[in-house]
Amino acid sequence: MLVFILNAGSSSLKYQLMNPVIKKVFASGICERIGIDGVLKHEYGDGKELKLEIDMPTHKEAIEAVLSTLTVGEGKVIDSVNDIEAIGHRAVHGGEEFSGSVMVTNKVIDTMKRLIPLAPLHNPANILGMEICQELMPGKPNVAVFDTAFHQTMPDYAYMYALPYDQYTKHGIRKYGFHGTSHYYVSNEARQMLDKKHNTRIIVCHLGNGSSVSAVYNGKCIDTSMGLTPVQGLMMGTRSGDVGAGALQYMMSQEGITIDEALNVMNKKSGILGISGKSSDLREVLDGMTAGDDRCRLAVDMVAYNIKKYVGSYVAALDGVDALCFTGGIGENAALIREKVCAGLDAMGLVLDPVKNNKRRKDARDIATNGSHSRIFVIPTNEEYVIANDTYKVVMGNKSC
């Protein structure tokens, strides 16, 4: 089955064309600056690249440009849009309503619209992508794959906030978690690498510009660091992560800013950028630390310390750990962060091999010492495969009904 994978953002559109049955990617790319001017970056074949400047006033023109690039001209990989058999959409927030991937229907879209207050930046763009694909490719099945779905197995004592209970019943205020497709993929890969399907206790650190940690027992999430929104949890590129409510209120009173302005600070001006004063890109901050910049050093130490605290708490929540996994741009590439996170975890059975850790490789690998009681894995994530495979399973399941 040929699946068109779509990840629609507010001013961007990532895509991939994949056959999940044979795990083959035919093309991938991104449309940027939608509503401004429009740039399409397209990868196809054996590493061939194409960059096109195309007017994209809306997402509709962007998707039309992608479909045209896939079927006509230099970047062509299929003969016709009819070759696409299904469309899989990344959907950020499914609330409590969606615990798995579903066929897109009017009811599903209406429910996602009701959930917009929980993800005001993401859900509208996700919905727009679905509606445009329904218009441009009528009759093709569309499937929504939710970031939050994997975390719906958390027990109530893990996802509830200690606010008055009616805040949950009236407004759905609770922890939801994000990056679910990545946590699902990496934890599943780890179970395969352990060659152990039962009583598995796995901690996944998805580390990038946005970062989160999850505790996974027997393939099911029992806790995760992100909360009602993605700002909770770890310190990230521009997000603050965990901040006490009193600190937030005090900052607002001292700066004379509104709650919306304060949330803008927490989401876009904090984290690695806010502490280093240099960049939200950890690579640049690591370079700054090497050059002797103490604020860059502080940012690096805070990033690693925050991850380490969550790892320790999830070892406790899981009553032990079989594998600690690193994934995402930082998790897969920043050996120093992995080293700092694992330092001192020997008593938990996690012993890092410094030689293995510093070898640059792109494949999934074990970087623990041979004598380590528990394993430490670096596993490249593949969220697009999860979306394509879920789309395949939902469509085939629907056909068999």
Side-chain angles (χ1 to χ4, degrees), residues 131-394:
E131 292 176 332
I132 293 170
C133 284
Q134 288 177 326
E135 177 187 346
L136 296 179
M137 292 176 277
K140 300 283 185 184
N142 287 259
V143 174
V145 181
F146 295 92
D147 272 10
T148 50
F150 180 61
H151 304 301
Q152 282 298 297
T153 53
M154 286 189 291
D156 53 7
Y157 56 80
Y159 68 68
M160 287 294 293
Y161 293 123
L163 296 169
Y165 192 78
D166 64 357
Q167 295 301 305
Y168 167 66
T169 55
K170 289 193 299 186
H171 307 300
I173 298 176
R174 50 157 286 185
K175 180 189 285 190
Y176 289 100
F178 299 89
H179 300 139
T181 50
S182 179
H183 288 287
Y184 167 76
Y185 178 83
V186 172
S187 59
N188 253 12
E189 289 293 297
R191 295 175 80 196
Q192 298 295 326
M193 291 170 72
L194 288 169
D195 194 23
K196 180 182 178 184
K197 306 300 184 295
H198 303 290
N199 300 318
T200 52
R201 301 163 300 177
I202 295 168
I203 298 171
V204 178
C205 299
H206 174 103
L207 310 176
N209 191 53
S211 298
S212 58
V213 185
S214 66
V216 184
Y217 181 72
N218 281 343
K220 297 186 182 300
C221 179
I222 65 162
D223 206 349
T224 191
S225 58
M226 282 183 169
L228 177 78
T229 72
V231 75
Q232 184 181 339
L234 299 176
M235 172 181 169
M236 308 175 217
T238 62
R239 295 180 185 132
S240 63
D242 295 331
V243 171
L248 179 63
Q249 188 273 333
Y250 186 72
M251 180 181 75
M252 291 169 60
S253 66
Q254 293 299 302
E255 295 287 332
I257 57 177
T258 65
I259 185 63
D260 286 340
E261 291 169 327
L263 288 174
N264 186 61
V265 170
M266 293 179 70
N267 276 288
K268 297 181 179 180
K269 299 178 181 180
S270 301
I272 295 170
L273 173 64
I275 295 298
S276 72
K278 186 179 184 70
S279 174
S280 62
D281 189 324
L282 186 68
R283 292 168 295 187
E284 294 181 25
V285 175
L286 285 167
D287 288 342
M289 181 185 73
T290 302
D293 187 318
D294 194 56
R295 282 181 58 182
C296 288
R297 187 275 311 162
L298 175 61
V300 171
D301 284 347
M302 287 177 67
V303 166
Y305 180 67
N306 273 268
I307 299 166
K308 187 173 184 175
K309 282 199 301 182
Y310 268 98
V311 169
S313 68
Y314 287 169
V315 171
L318 289 164
D319 294 326
V321 61
D322 295 303
L324 170 62
C325 308
F326 292 94
T327 193
I330 293 172
E332 293 167 32
N333 299 302
L336 181 63
I337 295 297
R338 296 195 298 261
E339 177 187 323
K340 285 178 171 289
V341 170
C342 293
L345 297 184
D346 305 43
M348 296 181 178
L350 295 161
V351 187
L352 186 75
D353 185 317
V355 175
K356 293 178 183 177
N357 183 47
N358 283 290
K359 282 185 179 177
R360 294 191 65 83
R361 288 167 49 184
K362 293 184 178 180
D363 58 332
R365 58 203 184 274
D366 186 349
I367 57 172
T369 63
N370 292 338
S372 178
H373 177 74
S374 302
R375 310 323 302 160
I376 305 172
F377 295 143
V378 177
I379 301 176
T381 193
N382 195 338
E383 296 171 87
E384 290 78 13
Y385 171 71
V386 174
I387 294 171
N389 197 47
D390 270 24
T391 299
Y392 169 75
K393 289 189 289 187
V394 168

Side-chain angles (χ1 to χ4, degrees), residues 87-134:
I87 303 100
H89 298 265
R90 180 198 180 206
V92 169
H93 217 306
E96 292 187 324
E97 283 79 355
F98 301 105
S99 58
S101 302
V102 296
M103 193 77 75
V104 175
T105 62
N106 290 337
K107 183 178 179 181
V108 167
I109 289 177
D110 288 343
T111 302
M112 287 185 66
K113 286 179 178 178
R114 282 198 294 104
L115 295 170
I116 284 175
L118 290 174
L121 297 178
H122 296 94
N123 270 27
N126 300 157
I127 294 166
L128 186 60
M130 295 171 191
E131 292 176 332
I132 293 170
C133 284
Q134 288 177 326

